Amino acid sequence: MGKPKVVRGKLIFLFIALLFYILCITVRTPGTYRMIPLPHRAPNTCPWQISEQSITPLNNTKHLLVSAYMDQRVNGLDVRIIGIFKRDSIQNLHCVFCCAGKLSNTTPGTILQHSDNFGFPYVTTDVMCQIPQNCNTKHVNLLTQPGEDRLVDQPWLPIRNKRSNGKEKEKLQFNFTVCISNLFGNYNNVLQFAQTLEMYRLLGVDRVVIYNTSCGPDLDRLLQIYSKEGFVEMVPWPIDQHLNPSPGWLFSQSGGDVHYFGQLTTLNECIYRSMDRSRYVLLNDIDEIIMPYKHNNLTSLMDVLQQQHPNGVFLIENHIFPKKPFNESKWGPLPRWRGVPGFNILDRIYKEEPDRTIYHPHKMIVQPRMVQQTSVHEVLKMIGQMFKVPPDVCRIIHSPISTPTQRPLEQLHVDTRLRDFTEQLLPGLNKVLREAGLLI
């Protein structure tokens, strides 16, 4: 009988010793050896991860977020988040703000799909948010369901622009900004690009914003020079890392996830990017120049148009200048830039007359604070009215690399407006090409 008692006593002693050992290692280093992990929670202060990307995936969705801007032109709403959403997967979203380092309560997001999608599965979409009272905020986030633990891995978007109802008259940094979307593939038409940028500089443009997915090596070198100078603002646009972007404008013809490498989104993003710093924004492609014909610069043109239509969005008619043989014996010699990739737009002097009996596209000059949503050829939501500028006052000189049809020369009209600026154009153009190491 004595032996079992001894064995039982030893077992009890070993059990107590084991409990004591477990208690010691758990208390001694709780951060490393804690037996039961704490729930996965967000830190007490925010923001703890700020997006530095131009495209940010939204967790637990098929959607992409691009940027957030203060926009108090819609009653009761304060912030507009611009995104690219999957049309068949729209769900309720909740806005949350970082208020001086502390999380706010969530507020419901108002989801506004843009009406133009050209049949593609993804569409430019705005989410409007209301800032809670007494919240001093610079960052916003979206949740599919309330709960701060869901914010741990979701980067916050910085809120750009300042509180505004669109009526302020403070001095703006720029008069004219050109928005170019989008560069992709191996586009390397350096000569036309440089001529267009220098032409816009002569016309009074202060800043050119370019959304760049990819381009050729020579053009990249040229754009780096313009960026360093401050004339060009390059916005990285890695849409091809998130979606299958289409190189075309119509889903039924070209397929893909989103229209023309996300052009609709970048145009809207550029308007809001420019809202607090530019009086006017020009929305056009890089092979197009919005050219005044009765004024020598855009400032004089817009002073007149603005007086006639104070709250106008100005539609500029497109005119195609196809490639045709240039007769130097008749029109005078052309400057030469041997070895520079691309073509010379100064030899585009023949213009097609638009067929106005069918739909004919325009591009736009807008006052950004008058615009809420835009498409390529017209504004979708705005404050004010659209006005078609007569083509004898201003029109687009559109010099595409190629045209689908070739009209005979007798059906074309001579237009040498670009050559009016040749003497002024050459010094700046030669200088930048030389800096880029492209001028022989």
Side-chain angles (χ1 to χ4, degrees):
M1 294 295 293
K3 188 172 182 180
K5 289 183 179 180
V6 172
V7 172
R8 189 162 47 250
K10 288 182 178 180
L11 289 174
I12 292 172
F13 174 78
L14 287 172
F15 180 74
I16 293 172
L18 180 61
L19 285 178
F20 182 77
Y21 173 76
I22 292 173
L23 181 64
C24 284
I25 65 173
T26 303
V27 173
R28 178 167 56 93
T29 54
T32 307
Y33 297 100
R34 185 173 285 118
M35 298 296 291
I36 302 175
L38 289 176
H40 191 51
R41 294 178 59 83
N44 292 327
T45 59
C46 61
W48 42 90
Q49 186 181 358
I50 300 174
S51 176
E52 297 180 351
Q53 307 301 315
S54 55
I55 301 176
T56 304
L58 178 59
N59 290 348
N60 306 311
T61 74
K62 297 178 181 180
H63 310 322
L64 304 172
L65 305 181
V66 176
S67 51
Y69 291 94
M70 192 71 73
D71 184 8
Q72 296 174 307
R73 297 171 297 172
V74 179
N75 188 35
L77 298 172
D78 301 295
V79 172
R80 183 182 300 263
I81 299 173
I82 300 172
I84 304 174
F85 281 29
K86 185 78 180 299
R87 288 197 290 144
D88 63 2
S89 303
I90 303 296
Q91 67 232 79
N92 291 332
L93 294 173
H94 307 268
C95 307
V96 61
F97 293 90
C98 183
C99 308
K102 301 294 182 181
L103 285 177
S104 73
N105 294 326
T106 58
T107 58
T110 301
I111 299 175
L112 304 173
Q113 285 193 55
H114 290 216
S115 56
D116 272 5
N117 56 61
F118 301 107
F120 288 93
Y122 283 80
V123 61
T124 303
T125 303
D126 300 330
V127 181
M128 301 295 297
C129 299
Q130 183 179 36
I131 299 175
Q133 288 187 346
N134 303 316
C135 173
N136 181 17
T137 183
K138 294 182 179 179
H139 298 88
V140 65
N141 222 322
L142 291 175
L143 297 171
T144 54
Q145 296 180 8
E148 63 182 55
D149 57 308
R150 297 175 179 271
L151 285 169
V152 172
D153 300 320
Q154 178 64 47
W156 290 73
L157 296 180
I159 302 172
R160 302 173 184 175
N161 296 350
K162 52 193 169 185
R163 293 179 185 268
S164 166
N165 59 12
K167 298 179 181 179
E168 286 73 8
K169 299 294 184 181
E170 73 272 13
K171 183 174 176 58
L172 300 172
Q173 185 180 2
F174 306 124
N175 274 331
F176 294 95
T177 295
V178 176
C179 295
I180 302 294
S181 61
N182 307 49
L183 282 181
F184 58 88
N186 294 316
Y187 184 84
N188 202 42
N189 191 347
V190 175
L191 184 54
Q192 181 182 20
F193 213 110
Q195 288 175 326
T196 300
L197 291 181
E198 291 299 325
M199 191 69 246
Y200 267 135
R201 198 200 297 267
L202 292 176
L203 292 175
V205 168
D206 308 288
R207 172 66 62 92
V208 178
V209 181
I210 299 173
Y211 292 80
N212 183 27
T213 301
S214 62
C215 64
D218 301 308
L219 182 56
D220 182 69
R221 194 156 66 249
L222 180 81
L223 291 175
Q224 295 304 322
I225 293 172
Y226 278 119
S227 298
K228 187 180 296 185
E229 174 191 333
F231 184 56
V232 164
E233 178 179 354
M234 296 292 293
V235 180
W237 187 244
I239 187 68
D240 54 345
Q241 296 178 19
H242 302 277
L243 299 175
N244 175 28
S246 173
W249 72 275
L250 192 62
F251 176 74
S252 61
Q253 294 180 356
S254 55
D257 289 331
V258 66
H259 163 272
Y260 204 64
F261 274 70
Q263 180 187 35
L264 294 172
T265 304
T266 56
L267 289 176
N268 282 272
E269 208 283 334
C270 193
I271 286 176
Y272 282 89
R273 179 181 291 262
S274 306
M275 197 164 287
D276 263 15
R277 63 183 189 180
S278 190
R279 187 181 181 195
Y280 298 106
V281 169
L282 286 67
L283 303 173
N284 61 269
D285 296 333
I286 193 56
D287 60 357
E288 299 168 337
I289 297 174
I290 294 179
M291 174 63 73
Y293 274 70
K294 291 190 174 180
H295 305 84
N296 288 327
N297 53 65
L298 291 166
T299 301
S300 300
L301 168 71
M302 294 312 300
D303 285 347
V304 173
L305 294 179
Q306 178 71 15
Q307 188 174 11
Q308 297 170 348
H309 307 276
N311 296 322
V313 164
F314 302 96
L315 303 179
I316 314 298
E317 190 176 72
N318 182 50
H319 289 245
I320 294 177
F321 287 64
K323 182 180 181 180
K324 290 291 180 181
F326 184 86
N327 189 340
E328 291 197 9
S329 62
K330 182 176 181 180
W331 302 109
L334 282 172
R336 301 294 182 187
W337 292 274
R338 301 186 188 283
V340 179
F343 64 81
N344 183 0
I345 63 174
L346 295 178
D347 70 4
R348 299 294 183 99
I349 64 167
Y350 295 104
K351 176 180 72 70
E352 295 181 2
E353 188 65 23
D355 183 357
R356 297 182 181 89
T357 63
I358 60 175
Y359 172 76
H360 187 65
H362 293 70
K363 294 297 174 68
M364 294 177 285
I365 301 177
V366 306
Q367 301 169 80
R369 293 187 181 186
M370 298 291 106
V371 178
Q372 293 177 339
Q373 295 180 350
T374 192
S375 185
V376 180
H377 302 295
E378 61 183 2
V379 169
L380 303 176
K381 290 184 179 180
M382 61 175 293
I383 303 165
Q385 295 181 331
M386 286 187 281
F387 171 71
K388 289 186 177 181
V389 179
D392 64 325
V393 174
C394 180
R395 57 178 174 257
I396 294 174
I397 296 178
H398 183 189
S399 304
I401 293 177
S402 61
T403 52
T405 59
Q406 289 287 337
R407 297 186 187 181
L409 200 61
E410 57 268 19
Q411 293 183 12
L412 303 178
H413 302 272
V414 172
D415 183 336
T416 59
R417 177 60 170 157
L418 277 177
R419 302 204 78 195
D420 293 344
F421 297 87
T422 301
E423 189 174 335
Q424 299 167 269
L425 182 70
L426 294 183
L429 178 60
N430 290 336
K431 178 176 179 292
V432 72
L433 291 175
R434 194 172 292 111
E435 288 180 21
L438 297 168
L439 200 59
I440 297 176

